[in-house]
Amino acid sequence: MVVRPGSCDCGVTVLLTGLPSAGKSTIARLLAERLRGDGHRVEVLDGDVMRETLSAGLGFSREDRQENLRRIGLMAEVLARNGVIVLVPVIAPYAESRDAVRQRHVTSGTAFLEVHVATPAEICAQRDVKGLYARQRAGELKGLTGVDAPYERPGEPELVIPAHRQSAAESASLLLDLLTAKRFVA
């Protein structure tokens, strides 16, 4: 691994939270590619992939959503504690769950940043990357976050990304600027 001079060999968990189809995963993938190109150790713990693997068998009740984020948060904290930049694009609809993940990081002395990908529900419904909003409108899906299930907006995230007003590359650059300002990358 090559690390650029002046860069930190520090790990950090970056929790990207927002509605379905907000752009969280796209931003995370773009940023990860850029960071890897600069020689950084990066992992993306995508919520959809984690649900198929680490959290297989969990449903979408409040308890299952909290358990899903607890598991992902544990994995992220271990990686970040060991010097990896961990990008975690997940819906994470409940403030209590996000706060618990942050507290786990605080307790272990591991850096944590919460980023709200603040794309409005009507724009997410237009994007409808996975067809969830169409299925909900057709009555085939209940409990869609931000429509008929709650989404508690972050109260004080370290960054709010207006992904609906800029390109995904611009959103990834905004997040890179935060990591640079916090000295996780040079």
Side-chain angles (χ1 to χ4, degrees):
M1 173 185 73
V2 176
V3 177
R4 299 177 81 188
S7 67
C8 173
D9 195 22
C10 308
V12 60
T13 294
V14 181
L15 180 73
L16 293 97
T17 178
L19 297 175
S21 296
K24 302 174 299 295
S25 295
T26 301
I27 293 166
R29 283 192 303 272
L30 286 171
L31 181 58
E33 182 179 312
R34 189 165 172 185
L35 290 170
R36 285 185 189 116
D38 287 343
H40 296 283
R41 295 172 39 198
V42 181
E43 288 296 332
V44 177
L45 301 181
D46 187 271
D48 292 333
V49 175
M50 294 293 101
R51 274 204 168 270
E52 294 173 3
T53 56
L54 184 68
S55 294
L58 290 180
F60 292 92
S61 68
R62 183 180 183 102
E63 295 77 21
D64 282 355
R65 288 173 187 254
Q66 289 175 320
E67 177 61 17
N68 178 53
L69 187 59
R70 188 193 68 76
R71 291 177 186 182
I72 296 169
L74 169 62
M75 181 180 280
E77 186 270 327
V78 169
L79 288 167
R81 184 169 17 107
N82 285 282
V84 178
I85 298 170
V86 187
L87 306 174
V88 185
V90 293
I91 295 169
Y94 301 111
E96 174 186 11
S97 299
R98 295 188 305 262
D99 291 345
V101 170
R102 180 186 294 272
Q103 187 55 50
R104 173 178 192 84
H105 283 72
V106 167
T107 299
S108 72
T110 306
F112 179 88
L113 301 170
E114 184 177 52
V115 175
H116 182 206
V117 181
T119 306
E122 56 274 6
I123 303 297
C124 293
Q126 290 171 8
R127 291 178 180 173
D128 204 8
V129 176
K130 297 175 211 143
L132 299 174
Y133 293 89
R135 288 181 51 214
Q136 191 275 335
R137 283 190 303 272
E140 300 168 7
L141 178 68
K142 298 257 188 252
L144 181 59
T145 304
V147 178
D148 60 351
Y151 178 77
E152 299 169 358
R153 297 173 61 94
E156 295 184 34
E158 281 75 15
L159 178 65
V160 175
I161 297 178
H164 58 296
R165 287 190 239 152
Q166 58 193 25
S167 71
E170 290 169 322
S171 294
S173 290
L174 194 60
L175 183 47
L176 179 59
D177 291 345
L178 174 66
L179 291 174
T180 302
K182 298 280 187 183
R183 299 184 176 264
F184 293 108
V185 298

